[in-house]
Amino acid sequence: KMDKDNLAIFKKFKEMTRNGDYAPVVVEEDKLQGFVVRADEDIPRLTLIAEYVGQVDYARNRVFDKNDSIMDLLRTPHSSTSLVICPETRGNLARF
C-alpha cells in the first residue's frame, strides 16, 4: 500500500496525464546508450515523470532474457513467485 503522501502524488500525476500535462522531457538517441530521456527544462524535486509500463511476467520466464529494461515488480525468494515488468512490446519513456 502507498502511504498518504505518495498516493496524493500519484493521484495528481494521473490527473495531469488525463489532462495531457506531462513532465518536460525529451527522448533522444545516444551513441553509447541507445536512447535516453533528458529534461527539457528544470523539473521540480519529487515530480513523478512516468509510470513504468509493460507486460507483467514471472521472473522465472525472464532469467535468460536479453532485454535490459526489465524491472522488478514483486521480488520473493523464488523466481516462480517473483514478478517483473517487461516493456519490450508495450512500454513508454520510463524504459529509457
Side-chain angles (χ1 to χ4, degrees), residues 5 14 18 20 41 43-44 46 64 69 73 86 88 90:
D5 292 337
K14 294 301 277 183
R18 275 193 300 276
E41 59 185 64
I43 299 174
L46 300 178
F64 300 107
S69 299
L73 177 61
C86 309
E88 58 201 357
R90 292 184 177 92

Side-chain angles (χ1 to χ4, degrees), residues 17-82:
T17 54
R18 275 193 300 276
N19 294 332
D21 298 327
Y22 298 95
V25 296
V26 177
V27 178
E28 296 179 331
E29 191 167 3
D30 180 85
K31 290 180 183 178
L32 296 176
Q33 296 180 337
F35 289 93
V36 296
V37 177
R38 178 182 60 80
D40 203 28
E41 59 185 64
D42 288 344
I43 299 174
R45 186 173 179 267
L46 300 178
T47 298
L48 187 57
I49 296 172
E51 294 177 88
Y52 202 83
V53 178
Q55 294 173 301
V56 176
D57 198 358
Y58 289 103
R60 71 169 176 241
N61 297 337
R62 302 295 179 142
V63 172
F64 300 107
D65 199 305
K66 295 179 184 175
N67 188 314
D68 64 352
S69 299
I70 294 174
M71 184 173 130
D72 286 337
L73 177 61
L74 174 68
R75 183 176 284 195
T76 68
H78 307 286
S79 66
S80 61
T81 56
S82 294

